[in-house]
Amino acid sequence: MKITLIREEKESGKETVSTCEADALLEKIKTETKAAHVTALRTMLLYTTPDARGHYEHIDKLPRIYPSIEYGRSRDGSRKMKHYNGVVMLEVNDLAGLSEVELVKEQARLLPQTWAAITGSSGRSVKIWVKFVLPDGSLPVKEENITLFHACAYRMAVQCYQPILPFPITLKEPSPTQSCRMTLDVTPYFNPDAIPFCQEQPFSMPGEQTFHQRKLMEKNPLLRLKPGFETSETFTILFETALGRALDEMENWKRGDALHTLLVCLTEHCFKAGIPEEETVRQVMIHYYRQADEQIVRTTIHNLYRECKGFGKKSALTPEQEISLRLEEFMERRYEFRFNTVSNDLEFRQKDSIHFYFQPVDQRARNSISMDALQEGIKVWDRDVNRYLASNRVPLYNPVEDYLCSVGRWDGKDRIHALADLVPCNNPHWRQLFYRWFLNMVAHWRGLNKQYANSTSPLLVGSQGFRKSTYCRIILPPELRFGYTDSLDFGSKRDAEMYLGRFMLINIDEFDQVSINQQGFLKHLLQKPVANLRKPYGSSIQEIRRYASFIGTSNQKDLLTDPSGSRRFICIEVTAPINTSVTINYRQLYAQAMDAITKGERYWFDDTDEAVLKESNREFEQISPLEQLFHCYFRSPEEGEMGEWMTSMEIIEYLQGKSKTISLSNSCISTFGRILKKNQIESKRTKRGMQYEVIMLNK
C-alpha cells in the first residue's frame, strides 16, 4: 500500500507529490533530516501557550501525509486520485507530554485493527490509522462510494476506539483527504498484518439513528422478533409457561376468584420471562376477558413491571422533567414509531404481537395516544404528544434501503432474465436491455449515481388484455408496491417532479396519449437526477433525492415523435398475453441485482446499447407528413453518386410547391433539419448555412 506525501511551497504555489510504501514511511519518520524542522517546531510549541497564534516559518518544509488516498498526476498536471487505501485516521490531541502520547499508543495497540499509531508533529498528539474493507476484501472505487464508505468507517472507528482510550478523540469531518504533517517518532507502532474492519457499502451518509439501527440495538431479543406468526407463537408459549408456574404457586386459586391475587404472581413470572409489558396485558385479557377490566389490568401490570425494574425511587427531577420522561417511557413501551423518509409520513403500530403493520399517524391516532397517556395518569397535553412525534425521538425509516439491506445473499440463480422472459416478443435484445435497465433502477435506489438519472424506459406495446400494466406492477416486491403509480399528471409540473422522490416505479400508461407538447417535459423528467422543490408547508427549497424509474405501455405502435432520436426508450412489441400469475422470489430477484452492482457490473447503457436501441426502435417511430413527403421527392445518394447540396429551407420550398399544406416557419425548418439528420443525410456547414446532399426524384 502506497502513502502519498504532498509538499506545497506557499510563496511559489508549487506542489510536489510523491508516494512511498507504508513500511518505508514508518522507517523514514524514525529519524530526522539535518534541517530538524520537526524538532524546531516542537521547541517553539514548548514555549507557547495553546491559544497563541504563532507560526513556524519553515512549516511548508514538512510535507503532509495522506494515508487514505494514493495520489498521482493527470495529463494537465493537476492532482488526481489513483487508489483508495481504506485507511481511517483518528487523532487524539492536546496531550500533556510524551508519557500521555505513549499511553495512547499502548492502548491503541490493544485492538488488532490498528495498522499504525504514531506521534504527531507537535509531539502532543497521536495519529491512529485503522484499515477498513468491504465484505469481499475489496475497496470502493467510485468517488461517491468512497465518500460514503469513509464517513461510515470513521464513525465505526470512533465508536470502537474511544472506550479504550484514556483521552477523547478529536472529532473531525470524515473525509478521505484527511492528512497530517510529517512527523518524528523514534518508536512508532506499525502492524502490517492488522486485521481490517469489515463494512458493507453504505447507502447514505451517517445521520440520525434509523429505525432499523434502533431495532438491532434492542437488548431484549424478543423485541427484535419481526411481527408475524413466529412472534405470536413465541409469546404465547412463554406466557402459558408463566401462567402454569403462577397457578402452581397459587394452588387454591380457581376461575371466578379475585383475579388480582393471581395477576400479581403471573406478572412477576412474565417479567422474568422477558415478555414485553404490552404483550402481557394482551394475553391476560385473552384468558380472563370476562372478569378482567382492561384499565385495572393495565395499571396493575404496569406498576409491577415498574417495581421489578427498580422504578419508583424518589427523584430530584422537576415536575416538567418527570412528565417528559414518563411520556417518553410510555411512548416507547406501548408503540413503535418511525418517520418514512420516502413518503414523508409518520407511522406507528402498537407493541404487541397482533399488530403487524404500521399505520399513518393521523389526527385520530394522535388523539387516541393522548387519551391513553391520560388514562395512565400522565398529565400531558396534545402539544406534548405532537412535540414528541415531531422530534428526533422518532427514528428515520427508509423502506427502500431497509428492503435492499434485508434481501440476503444471492443463490446464483438468474431471475432478472427470467422476469424479462415473461414478456413474449421477437426482439433478441430485450432480455439484455431489460437486465441493464433493472440494474440501473436498483442502483439509483441505492443512490450510487447522483449526476445521472435512469433515463431509459421500457415501452410495452401490444393489444388490450395482454396484461402489460399488471406486468409493470409485479416488477416491484409487495413491500415496495406503495411506490408504484400509473397516474402521472403532466399538467401539474410541480407534482410530477415531486413524484421523482415519492415513487420507485412510474408507469406512463397509454404512452400514445402523451401529446407532442408534453414530450419535452417528459424528456426533462427522464433525465433529471434530483428535484429542487419546496415541500408542502416548507419554507425553503430542498433537494429531493430521486428514486423513480419509468416504464410505459401502449396499444399503438407509432409512438416516438422525437426527430432527434429514440435512445431513451426500449420499445418492445408484446406478441401474446404476458404470464403474470407466476410466483416470483423477490428477495432473490433483488439480491441478484445487488450482487451484480456490488461486484461492479455495468448498470448504465453505453454507446453500443444506445445504437441497438435506435435501430430496434425505428419501427415504432412516428413519421411526420413532412418526412413522408420528403421521401416521395428526395433520397440520399448511394455510394459513388454525386448529389445536390441544398439547405433545409430550399428543400421545404420545393416540397411546398408539391403540397400547399406545408407552412414555412422557423420551428418547421429546425425540426426538418433534425429529420434529415435522423435519416443520415450527409451534411456540411457553409456560408449559406447547413446544406444537405440529396438526390431529387422525378426531377
Side-chain angles (χ1 to χ4, degrees):
M1 182 184 297
K2 291 186 176 181
I3 305 297
T4 302
L5 292 88
I6 299 179
R7 189 175 67 182
E8 182 179 356
E9 297 180 5
K10 293 185 178 180
E11 293 183 0
S12 63
K14 184 179 178 181
E15 185 180 80
T16 304
V17 178
S18 60
T19 59
C20 65
E21 295 293 337
D23 52 353
L25 174 65
L26 269 294
E27 286 295 325
K28 191 174 181 179
I29 67 175
K30 289 182 180 180
T31 58
E32 195 173 16
T33 61
K34 292 181 180 180
H37 291 306
V38 178
T39 301
L41 172 64
R42 292 177 178 176
T43 303
M44 186 196 78
L45 293 176
L46 188 63
Y47 295 99
T48 57
T49 58
D51 57 346
R53 297 189 178 184
H55 177 71
Y56 180 53
E57 58 179 342
H58 301 296
I59 193 68
D60 59 345
K61 301 294 183 182
L62 299 176
R64 298 201 70 89
I65 304 172
Y66 291 80
S68 303
I69 293 179
E70 178 188 348
Y71 281 109
R73 292 290 190 188
S74 60
R75 290 184 178 179
D76 59 358
S78 61
R79 188 197 311 174
K80 73 170 185 177
M81 183 183 68
K82 292 177 60 178
H83 182 71
Y84 174 61
N85 296 330
V87 176
V88 168
M89 182 170 70
L90 302 179
E91 298 185 30
V92 180
N93 297 315
D94 301 325
L95 301 177
L98 184 60
S99 59
E100 291 187 356
V101 167
E102 292 300 322
L103 177 60
V104 172
K105 288 165 61 177
E106 286 297 321
Q107 290 298 110
R109 294 179 62 174
L110 297 178
L111 290 182
Q113 287 82 11
T114 303
W115 188 45
I118 58 178
T119 306
S121 58
S122 66
R124 299 176 182 174
S125 64
V126 176
K127 317 297 180 185
I128 303 172
W129 294 352
V130 189
K131 297 179 69 174
F132 282 80
V133 294
L134 290 166
D136 60 357
S138 65
L139 288 167
V141 177
K142 290 188 175 182
E143 188 173 348
E144 56 267 23
N145 290 347
I146 291 173
T147 302
L148 297 178
F149 181 86
H150 195 87
C152 293
Y154 182 87
R155 170 175 283 200
M156 181 189 295
V158 171
Q159 292 174 343
C160 293
Y161 277 81
Q162 187 59 83
I164 67 169
L165 296 178
F167 306 103
I169 295 173
T170 303
L171 300 180
K172 295 190 174 183
E173 181 180 356
S175 172
T177 60
Q178 191 174 353
S179 63
C180 62
R181 289 284 181 188
M182 186 63 183
T183 186
L184 172 66
D185 191 340
V186 180
T187 58
Y189 173 73
F190 179 56
N191 180 15
D193 299 321
I195 303 171
F197 282 106
C198 183
Q199 176 183 265
E200 293 278 359
Q201 175 62 46
F203 291 90
S204 59
M205 295 292 284
E208 289 186 36
Q209 187 184 63
T210 64
F211 178 77
H212 180 70
Q213 292 170 335
R214 186 170 294 189
K215 289 290 289 183
L216 292 178
M217 291 176 63
E218 174 58 55
K219 295 181 180 179
N220 186 350
L222 295 174
L223 296 179
R224 293 201 302 269
L225 285 173
K226 291 185 177 180
F229 176 75
E230 182 181 3
T231 307
S232 281
E233 186 181 52
T234 302
F235 284 148
T236 300
I237 293 173
L238 290 174
F239 181 83
E240 293 297 337
T241 303
L243 179 59
R245 291 180 178 178
L247 291 174
D248 290 340
E249 294 180 13
M250 307 285 296
E251 296 180 357
N252 298 324
W253 192 92
K254 60 182 182 297
R255 186 174 288 272
D257 292 348
L259 180 63
H260 189 267
T261 54
L262 175 67
L263 190 59
V264 173
C265 184
L266 173 61
T267 302
E268 291 180 357
H269 285 292
C270 288
F271 177 84
K272 293 176 182 177
I275 303 175
E277 181 178 332
E278 286 302 303
E279 187 61 28
T280 301
V281 173
R282 190 181 75 87
Q283 293 283 358
V284 169
M285 294 305 301
I286 291 175
H287 280 72
Y288 304 105
Y289 68 95
R290 289 186 177 179
Q291 59 186 113
D293 178 83
E294 181 179 354
Q295 190 56 41
I296 296 177
V297 168
R298 184 178 292 280
T299 304
T300 303
I301 293 176
H302 178 56
N303 289 335
L304 286 167
Y305 264 71
R306 287 183 61 191
E307 183 179 338
C308 292
K309 292 177 182 178
F311 292 163
K313 297 180 181 179
K314 189 174 182 181
S315 173
L317 299 176
T318 64
E320 292 78 9
Q321 289 176 307
E322 185 174 355
I323 291 176
S324 176
L325 292 175
R326 288 189 63 189
L327 176 62
E328 186 170 353
E329 187 274 336
F330 164 79
M331 290 292 207
E332 293 181 354
R333 168 168 47 86
R334 294 195 57 173
Y335 308 101
E336 283 183 284
F337 296 100
R338 67 188 189 189
F339 184 80
N340 191 320
T341 57
V342 175
S343 63
N344 286 319
D345 288 331
L346 184 64
E347 302 171 343
F348 86 111
R349 72 178 174 202
Q350 296 186 41
K351 274 192 174 180
D352 57 49
S353 59
I354 61 170
H355 289 88
F356 303 149
Y357 306 108
F358 281 84
Q359 304 293 332
V361 181
D362 54 15
Q363 191 58 48
R364 181 182 177 87
R366 292 174 186 267
N367 293 338
S368 299
I369 293 171
S370 300
M371 293 297 294
D372 291 341
L374 289 172
Q375 281 190 331
E376 288 203 8
I378 305 175
K379 298 179 181 180
V380 295
W381 296 84
D382 294 350
R383 65 171 181 266
D384 298 321
V385 174
N386 292 332
R387 189 181 295 120
Y388 176 91
L389 296 177
S391 70
N392 60 2
R393 303 299 192 276
V394 176
L396 303 178
Y397 168 69
N398 188 312
V400 182
E401 295 179 1
D402 189 72
Y403 181 80
L404 293 179
C405 285
S406 64
V407 294
R409 189 179 297 275
W410 180 42
D411 60 8
K413 184 178 179 180
D414 186 359
R415 289 178 171 83
I416 301 179
H417 286 101
L419 181 62
D421 290 339
L422 295 178
V423 180
C425 66
N426 297 322
N427 189 328
H429 306 290
W430 162 244
R431 298 179 80 247
Q432 193 58 28
L433 291 175
F434 178 85
Y435 177 80
R436 197 73 63 204
W437 172 82
F438 192 90
L439 292 188
N440 208 338
M441 176 180 70
V442 176
H444 280 82
W445 287 359
R446 291 187 56 181
L448 295 183
N449 194 334
K450 296 182 180 180
Q451 293 183 336
Y452 303 98
N454 185 11
S455 58
T456 305
S457 307
L459 284 181
L460 305 181
V461 183
S463 303
Q464 290 186 358
F466 274 17
R467 296 187 282 274
K468 302 184 294 296
S469 297
T470 305
Y471 176 79
C472 297
R473 190 175 293 107
I474 66 172
I475 291 175
L476 292 184
E479 293 89 340
L480 298 181
R481 211 158 284 171
F482 71 91
Y484 171 87
T485 184
D486 53 10
S487 303
L488 183 63
D489 182 11
F490 289 99
S492 176
K493 293 185 178 182
R494 184 179 181 279
D495 289 346
E497 293 193 1
M498 288 287 290
Y499 278 22
L500 296 178
R502 170 62 179 82
F503 295 99
M504 275 70 78
L505 184 61
I506 299 176
N507 176 16
I508 309 174
D509 210 12
E510 303 297 336
F511 185 85
D512 54 289
Q513 299 300 318
V514 180
S515 67
I516 297 178
N517 296 332
Q518 295 171 337
Q519 290 284 346
F521 180 63
L522 173 60
K523 185 189 298 185
H524 169 74
L525 283 181
L526 291 178
Q527 64 189 16
K528 192 177 182 67
V530 295
N532 296 303
L533 297 169
R534 182 174 60 84
K535 293 183 179 181
Y537 309 107
S539 58
S540 62
I541 295 177
Q542 299 179 358
E543 181 182 285
I544 299 176
R545 177 178 169 182
R546 169 173 172 163
Y547 292 96
S549 291
F550 288 82
I551 194 170
T553 64
S554 177
N555 300 330
Q556 307 298 326
K557 197 170 182 180
D558 52 343
L559 294 170
L560 307 179
T561 60
D562 190 349
S564 62
S566 53
R567 65 182 180 87
R568 290 183 177 83
F569 300 102
I570 310 172
C571 295
I572 297 298
E573 183 175 7
V574 183
T575 57
I578 303 174
N579 182 14
T580 57
S581 60
V582 296
T583 301
I584 301 174
N585 188 335
Y586 284 103
R587 293 196 173 273
Q588 281 300 306
L589 174 70
Y590 284 90
Q592 179 185 355
M594 291 284 287
D595 181 80
I597 294 169
T598 302
K599 291 180 178 178
E601 186 169 342
R602 177 171 59 88
Y603 57 82
W604 58 91
F605 291 86
D606 59 12
D607 294 339
T608 304
D609 295 328
E610 291 183 357
V612 171
L613 287 176
K614 291 179 181 179
E615 183 62 32
S616 59
N617 286 345
R618 287 191 181 277
E619 59 178 307
F620 299 93
E621 292 177 356
Q622 189 179 106
I623 301 179
S624 65
L626 184 59
E627 184 177 355
Q628 296 180 38
L629 192 62
F630 169 78
H631 288 300
C632 291
Y633 296 97
F634 294 94
R635 68 174 175 85
S636 178
E638 298 177 358
E639 187 176 355
E641 281 188 297
M642 294 293 293
E644 182 179 355
W645 290 93
M646 303 175 63
T647 64
S648 58
M649 179 177 289
E650 289 172 340
I651 298 175
I652 292 178
E653 285 179 343
Y654 178 84
L655 296 177
Q656 271 187 317
K658 300 296 181 180
S659 176
K660 303 299 183 181
T661 59
I662 299 177
S663 60
L664 190 62
S665 63
N666 291 334
S667 61
C668 176
I669 295 172
S670 60
T671 301
F672 187 63
R674 291 196 292 268
I675 291 174
L676 295 177
K677 186 176 180 180
K678 184 187 72 172
N679 285 274
Q680 299 180 344
I681 305 296
E682 189 71 23
S683 62
K684 66 179 181 180
R685 182 171 293 279
T686 65
K687 293 181 178 180
R688 298 174 56 217
M690 190 67 72
Q691 290 187 321
Y692 302 88
E693 186 180 16
V694 294
I695 291 180
M696 196 176 298
L697 303 175
N698 302 325
K699 188 172 180 180

